Amino acid sequence: MSGHSELTTGPLEYRSHEDRMTVLGFWLFLGAEIALFATLFATYAVLFGRTADAPTPQELFEMPMALTMTFLLLTSSFTCGIAIHEMRRGSLKGLLTWLIITLALGLGFLGFEIYEFVHYAHEGATLQSSAYWSSFFVLTGTHGAHVTLGICWAVLLIIQLKKRGLNQMTARKTFVLGLYWHFLDVIWIFLFTSVYLIGMVV
Amino acid sequence: MKNKWGKYSFLLAAAFLLILTAGCSGMPVLDPKGPVGESQKNLIVFSIVLMLIIVLTVMVVLTYMLVKFRERPGRGDKDYDPEHEGNTKLEIIWTVIPLIIVTALSIPTVITIYQLEEPPQSSSDKEPLVVHATSADWKWFFSYPEQNIETVNYLHIPTDRAIEFKLSSADSMGSFWVPALGGQKYTMANMRTTLYLQADEAGTYKGRNSNFTGTAFAEQTFDVHAESTEEFQSWVEETQQSAPPLSQDRYDELLAPGLLQEMEFSSTHLQYVDHGKMGSGDYLINRHQDKFEDLPALEGGEDVAND
Amino acid sequence: MMDFLLNEFLVTGDPLIYGAMVSIVLVSIAIVFVLTYFRKWGYLWREWLTTVDHKKIGIMYIIAAIAMLFRGGVDAMLMRAQLTLPNTEFLNSQHYNEIFTTHGTIMIIFMAMPFLIGLMNFVVPLQIGARDVAFPFLNAVSFWSFAFGAMLFNLSFVIGGSPDAGWTNYAPLAGPNLNPGPAINYYLLGLQISGIGTLATGINFMVTILKMRAPGMTLMRMPIFTWSSLITSFIITFAFPILTVALALMTIDRIFGSQFFTLTGEGMPMMWANLFWLWGHPEVYIVILPAFGIFSEVISTFARKQLFGYKAMVWSMLLIAGLSFLVWVHHFFTMGAGAGVNSLFSVTTMLISVPTGVKIFNWLGTMYKGKIRFDTPMLWSLGFIPCFVIGGVTGVMLAMAAADYQYHNTYFLVAHFHNVLIAGTVFGCFAGLTFWYPKMFGHKMNEKLGKISFWFFVIGFNVCFLPMYFLGFMGMPRRTYAIEPEWMPLNVVSTVGAVLMAIGFIVFVYNIYYSFRYSEREKTGDTWDGRALEWATTTPVPFYNFATVPEITGPEAFWKMKQEGGTTYDKDNLEPIHMPSDSGVPFIMSAFMFVAGFGLVWEWMVVAIAGLIGILACMVVRSFDYDHGFHVSVEEIKETEEKAREGEK
């Protein structure tokens, strides 16, 4: 709203007062998301070991697959960073290219996750099997759903970027998407450590 | 306005005190019959006294402010100071005093919390009597593993001896509560909690489930008969001899959601299932899940427990 | 099909429910008729359903909250009737269980919170000199998702049956094993949908307050109600995700067969209690802190003095907010978590009384050397102090875990939380509404009727709830529909009190009508000789709030402006004002949430997915919407302001 200064220099996505509010609002939203995932992690921790008659995580978890998924998502976070960097340089083409690479990596991650879920289901571990497996599927599934949403969001943004080019509003939207994507990456690091690594050892 | 307020706060305090002193007899919590309830009552009375002091202080200060500083004809700007914005010294005082009160309350609270985790001191010369109390919709099973008897919706206990209640539930979460003997504890499926109680006076005390469990929650009550060791012993022997043993089929039948009369058996259900163990939650569900689809409508107001 | 309709879909067999159905249908027809007859459909859509104006949204919140207060109040009266006439089978146990469940849920989620959020919506932007909230579109989504969530929840009464496991909805009682059918799903989905809106409100108001204050208004110069709103928003943002997860997990348990809180599959019912209260206790402070803010504003205005110990007031609220996340176990001391855990949570809970006590004494200090007027808002605030103190000290008693074993689940507890929630939140809402009413509607509420309603309500309140402490000592558990003979006399006293409260409420509502017809219209914007910026605007408030935003040089901005001169209409410095455009998307999107929720309640996946697609489609539409809003021209501002300020001269 008027009365607040519009900047003419600095990153495109921070120039108007509205931009700065949006970014702060999104940070707060990520704070709420952290509370949400923290609750899911706590649930997982509490229900750990309650596998009832279903297989245990040691029997099912496989290092290579978890590592591949980690590699894909971490790389996608990196390419997303490059995309934002290209945006700061004012290169729409660079931005789009790296954004699409990010998307592809994200899709790869999702593919592996779906394969993993189906595989576990075949081995007799489903959402319904036991308290532990319920918490496993809901925790990883919530993360997966976030990734899916992020991908759809990115597709919408790519269309908008194509249509409108790089301006203050598209820049802000892209930047916010970047925040979201990095956040999902951070969550995955926790997931990888506390679910897969610990699940394979304990 | 002044009189109304003064009267109002005075009436409040007076009513509070009056009912408190007059009504203790009808209030099992304030008239306990055993050491557990006694220690809780002492804590309650101590806190009520401290709290009344606080309430009265606030009422007096409030009344003073309203009387002294209300806008009234002829007062003008006397004693009126719109710029007055605080007084650090006073604020420190009313931070520190509550802190002292909280400390004064915390110490006996914590001591009592720890005490209640152990059997009462007064009967430490005797081993506690173990009774498994299991709640199921909407009844209570009491199993005496040492005596190998089981009762439904009532129990006998000896006086002057600690009772170690091992609490669990076959389905919804209940709370085992005998106000005259002491505070309650939850009964939960798949896990066990322990509650120590003791009766020092013989008598029949009302016990109930105090945690909402659905349809017939209001009728989920039981009687506790506290009696001398000899009387208790003869009741045990009589039950062992005259009551039928509890077969698994019979137990499964009793577990179905509904109300039961008082009953007794010369064996316990613990040989079939211990609801306090992890994984036992399936037991009732496997047998009676369908009955929860269409629960009987239990009509209001009347005591259906012994129909 | 007919069989399903009569036996499962519609609730049948109870005259009360038939009555409710008939009245719902009649009221709906009446509304449709009136809107059509007076050709108001367009007006309704343009001015209200699509609005993003924080003032109108605030008013809609308050109207909805009062309607919900009526619904929850009727529930309360039905309970009192049953407990007074237990032998007439007025309600059977199932019906009673549904009534106390909806009473609790509606009063907390659909009455207390929206009422306060409504006041926040109306007041906060005005107090900080902003022209709207940070995200007006999101604000509309918040309101409509609350409204549709509330509608879904209330629908359960006539379609499918109401939830009946208590407002705490404890597992396993509320789980799929022991409580199949749609009833509990209504609870889960109704709360989920409105909870999303509340979370958005939290984020929205944090950004608004942090980023949109008038120039010169530092944090420590903010009006105290704005401070309380900021802290409340903070609690909302970090507590509501926990509820979201808890509700989602139980929904998945019930609809998709997972094993989180179930008896089978090694599920853990107790985790529900933990998650619920991890949100639930902060929730208590969500509904009390804004009320504290209101009392501070009102007491300072009517004592005609600055607030005593402003800094301590702010810090005590921050402390309460922090502690609110560290006390949740006190809701189930009797779960047997062990002496160490219970001791810890006893002490943290008791500690909350320290900052709360500081606030009480600071309110008393505010009156010291004041010139106290007794208008209705002040009466509510003064009634609050003694009543809330009683609730507070009994709270400390409940915090003592060893004693709590005797209070838990009894009427002692019921008395306690009504003593804090009614004396705190409800009195606060009434104080706030009567205080800001002139700003909202351009006329005061009638003082005489206001005082009558206050005295009925406050006396009735004490007559109703004080006896309950003793019922607790007598061993009467909460949530029982059948009572022992010895509990009878005090229950009758309680009911008499409840009737007095109901009369108070009716007079309050009648006062709204009466004042609309007969109250003198406001000529200035400053009804009560106010102190904060909301009184600096004209009444009614122009849609852009402030023609020019004043420079703030100290606390109590408007008080200072009145002394030093200053205006929100600086003719020489007018600039075009940028305002957001209205949008129908929030309404439509929330309607789709309702559809998705209804589908999930009945496990009709096609309906649920259709609703979900609708929600996503609305999001896509929003994403492609590059509407930058519009500018109000200087001429238009001048015209509006000149007209509004005619009466002042």
Side-chain angles (χ1 to χ4, degrees), chain C residues 185-255:
Chain C
N185 295 351
Y186 273 114
Y187 172 96
L188 297 170
L189 274 311
L191 262 62
Q192 189 70 283
I193 290 172
S194 67
I196 292 165
T198 312
L199 178 60
T201 299
I203 295 172
N204 210 341
F205 274 82
M206 268 219 266
V207 179
T208 306
I209 297 171
L210 290 175
K211 287 277 187 189
M212 295 178 74
R213 298 189 308 277
M217 186 184 275
T218 58
L219 284 177
M220 277 310 193
R221 285 176 182 172
M222 290 196 315
I224 199 81
F225 178 69
T226 299
W227 254 116
S228 72
S229 302
L230 176 63
I231 297 169
T232 305
S233 307
F234 173 85
I235 307 180
I236 289 177
T237 309
F238 292 97
F240 263 76
I242 308 174
L243 177 71
T244 306
V245 171
L247 293 171
L249 297 187
M250 198 187 266
T251 310
I252 299 171
D253 262 5
R254 294 181 56 90
I255 299 178

Side-chain angles (χ1 to χ4, degrees), chain A residues 49 51-61 120 123 125 132-133 199 202:
Chain A
T51 43
D53 306 327
T56 61
Q58 290 103 304
E59 293 166 33
L60 294 189
F61 287 173
Y120 291 169
E123 300 288 327
Y132 170 80
W133 286 109
V202 180

Side-chain angles (χ1 to χ4, degrees), chain B residues 62-72 75 78-79, chain C residues 367-370 372:
Chain B
L62 176 65
T63 315
Y64 171 79
M65 296 296 176
L66 295 183
V67 172
K68 181 98 196 284
F69 299 108
R70 74 190 198 281
E71 187 177 51
R72 55 184 185 271
R75 187 182 150 209
K78 192 170 153 278
D79 267 345
Chain C
M367 289 180 235
Y368 178 72
K369 293 207 171 173
I372 304 168

Side-chain angles (χ1 to χ4, degrees), chain B residues 54-55 112 180 186 230 237 240 254 261 280 285 298 304-305:
Chain B
I54 296 175
V55 172
T112 316
Y186 285 164
E230 297 75 42
E237 277 158 25
Q240 283 166 339
L254 297 181
Q261 297 176 329
S280 60
I285 298 305
L298 296 155
V304 253

Side-chain angles (χ1 to χ4, degrees), chain B residues 13-257:
Chain B
F16 217 79
L17 276 172
L18 248 172
I19 310 180
L20 194 70
T21 43
C24 273
S25 54
M27 301 181 190
V29 172
L30 298 180
D31 183 23
K33 305 293 184 197
V36 174
E38 190 66 33
S39 67
Q40 287 165 328
K41 188 200 85 176
N42 293 339
L43 205 54
I44 290 171
V45 171
F46 173 59
S47 63
I48 288 180
V49 172
L50 269 184
M51 292 301 135
L52 276 180
I53 295 173
I54 296 175
V55 172
L56 288 177
T57 313
V58 172
M59 301 268 186
V60 168
V61 177
L62 176 65
T63 315
Y64 171 79
M65 296 296 176
L66 295 183
V67 172
K68 181 98 196 284
F69 299 108
R70 74 190 198 281
E71 187 177 51
R72 55 184 185 271
R75 187 182 150 209
D77 277 346
K78 192 170 153 278
D79 267 345
Y80 175 54
D81 180 10
E83 300 304 319
H84 173 257
E85 58 170 22
N87 182 327
T88 315
K89 214 185 277 172
L90 273 177
E91 289 185 82
I92 291 174
I93 290 176
W94 60 57
T95 311
V96 171
I97 293 180
L99 268 175
I100 294 171
I101 296 177
V102 165
T103 316
L105 289 170
S106 294
I107 294 167
T109 302
V110 171
I111 292 173
T112 316
I113 292 173
Y114 275 90
Q115 266 173 7
L116 295 181
E117 298 289 304
E118 304 292 331
Q121 277 296 315
S122 66
S123 63
S124 53
D125 52 322
K126 292 176 227 166
E127 275 293 295
L129 172 74
V130 175
V131 180
H132 287 249
T134 309
S135 64
D137 286 349
W138 293 280
K139 66 214 64 111
W140 287 93
F141 296 98
F142 298 101
S143 326
Y144 297 71
E146 290 156 43
Q147 287 73 16
N148 198 31
I149 54 175
E150 177 149 328
T151 56
V152 177
N153 288 345
Y154 81 101
L155 75 162
H156 284 238
I157 56 168
T159 50
D160 298 314
R161 181 176 170 191
I163 317 294
E164 182 179 342
F165 285 103
K166 293 190 170 295
L167 307 174
S168 66
S169 166
D171 39 41
S172 42
M173 179 170 85
S175 190
F176 177 87
W177 189 33
V178 189
L181 298 184
Q184 63 200 288
K185 206 168 251 186
Y186 285 164
T187 62
M188 295 169 283
N190 286 331
M191 57 172 97
R192 161 144 36 249
T193 43
T194 304
L195 175 67
Y196 292 101
L197 291 178
Q198 179 179 322
D200 286 345
E201 279 178 45
T204 300
Y205 307 117
K206 286 178 180 168
R208 70 179 317 125
N209 168 25
S210 69
N211 194 66
F212 180 62
T213 47
T215 314
F217 154 70
E219 282 91 5
Q220 201 172 4
T221 58
F222 57 91
D223 280 335
V224 183
H225 303 281
E227 55 208 14
S228 67
T229 312
E230 297 75 42
E231 282 174 89
F232 172 72
Q233 201 49 44
S234 64
W235 171 78
V236 167
E237 277 158 25
E238 196 195 316
T239 310
Q240 283 166 339
Q241 281 152 21
S242 60
L246 180 61
S247 70
Q248 186 161 14
D249 286 345
R250 180 77 174 127
Y251 179 65
D252 292 354
E253 197 182 306
L254 297 181
L255 264 187

Side-chain angles (χ1 to χ4, degrees), chain C residues 406-437:
Chain C
Q406 286 280 34
Y407 305 133
H408 186 65
N409 270 333
T410 68
Y411 263 74
F412 189 92
L413 174 76
V414 174
H416 157 72
F417 68 67
H418 283 93
N419 236 324
V420 281
L421 282 173
I422 295 182
T425 308
V426 178
F427 287 16
C429 290
F430 286 168
L433 184 58
T434 42
F435 183 55
W436 284 303
Y437 200 86

Side-chain angles (χ1 to χ4, degrees), chain C residues 8 28 46 64 102 127 203 302 321 350 377 439 460 526 564 594:
Chain C
E8 282 177 48
S28 309
R46 277 190 311 273
T102 52
Q127 279 198 334
I203 295 172
F302 291 92
M350 279 191 251
K439 188 79 350 196
D526 183 17
E564 297 170 359
F594 177 87

Side-chain angles (χ1 to χ4, degrees), chain B residues 1 4-5 8 12 15-16 19-20 26-30 37 40 43-44 47-48 51 54-55 57-59 61-62 64-66 69-71 75-77 79-87 90-91 94-95 98-99 102 105-106 109-110 112-114 116-117 137 170-173 175 177-179 181-186 188-191 193 206 208-219 278-279 281-282 284-285 289 292-293 295 297-302, chain C residues 82 86-87 89 91-94 97 100 164-166 170 172-173 176-178 180 262-268 270 303-310 312 331-332 334-336 338-340 342-343 346-347 350-351 353-354 358 360-362 364-365 367-374 379 382-383 385-387 389-390 393 396-397 400-410 454-455 458 462 466 469-470 472-475 477-482 484 486-487 531 559 563:
Chain B
M1 200 57 61
K4 256 184 201 167
W5 273 98
Y8 173 58
L12 270 183
F16 217 79
I19 310 180
L20 194 70
M27 301 181 190
V29 172
L30 298 180
Q40 287 165 328
L43 205 54
I44 290 171
S47 63
I48 288 180
M51 292 301 135
I54 296 175
V55 172
T57 313
V58 172
M59 301 268 186
V61 177
L62 176 65
Y64 171 79
M65 296 296 176
L66 295 183
F69 299 108
R70 74 190 198 281
E71 187 177 51
R75 187 182 150 209
D77 277 346
D79 267 345
Y80 175 54
D81 180 10
E83 300 304 319
H84 173 257
E85 58 170 22
N87 182 327
L90 273 177
E91 289 185 82
W94 60 57
T95 311
L99 268 175
V102 165
L105 289 170
S106 294
T109 302
V110 171
T112 316
I113 292 173
Y114 275 90
L116 295 181
E117 298 289 304
D137 286 349
D171 39 41
S172 42
M173 179 170 85
S175 190
W177 189 33
V178 189
L181 298 184
Q184 63 200 288
K185 206 168 251 186
Y186 285 164
M188 295 169 283
N190 286 331
M191 57 172 97
T193 43
K206 286 178 180 168
R208 70 179 317 125
N209 168 25
S210 69
N211 194 66
F212 180 62
T213 47
T215 314
F217 154 70
E219 282 91 5
M278 169 120 100
D282 303 56
L284 180 134
I285 298 305
Q289 169 75 83
F292 286 93
E293 307 272 343
L295 285 172
L298 296 155
E299 286 302 316
E302 56 192 311
Chain C
Q82 165 66 19
N87 295 322
E89 296 179 28
L91 303 177
N92 66 21
S93 81
Q94 177 59 30
N97 298 345
F100 74 67
D164 56 357
Y170 269 14
L173 180 63
N177 300 124
L178 305 184
T262 53
L263 289 168
T264 52
E266 302 193 351
M268 199 179 193
M270 300 317 121
R304 285 184 270 177
K305 251 189 81 214
Q306 212 169 323
L307 189 66
F308 185 98
Y310 173 92
H331 294 274
F332 41 87
T334 52
M335 201 180 266
N342 281 359
S343 300
S346 274
V347 174
M350 279 191 251
L351 277 178
S353 68
V354 177
V358 168
I360 297 275
F361 282 103
N362 278 5
L364 294 174
M367 289 180 235
Y368 178 72
K369 293 207 171 173
K371 213 158 40 167
I372 304 168
R373 278 188 324 220
F374 293 92
L379 281 187
L382 293 175
I385 293 177
C387 298
V389 166
I390 293 174
V393 296
V396 173
M397 290 168 70
M400 302 161 69
D404 176 73
Y405 302 156
Q406 286 280 34
Y407 305 133
H408 186 65
N409 270 333
T410 68
F454 167 77
W455 284 109
V458 81
N462 284 292
L466 288 183
Y469 289 110
F470 301 98
F473 287 136
M474 289 177 171
R478 66 195 289 205
R479 295 172 172 174
T480 173
Y481 75 110
E484 307 274 341
E486 64 263 30
W487 303 334
R531 314 180 77 85
W559 191 253
Q563 287 167 339

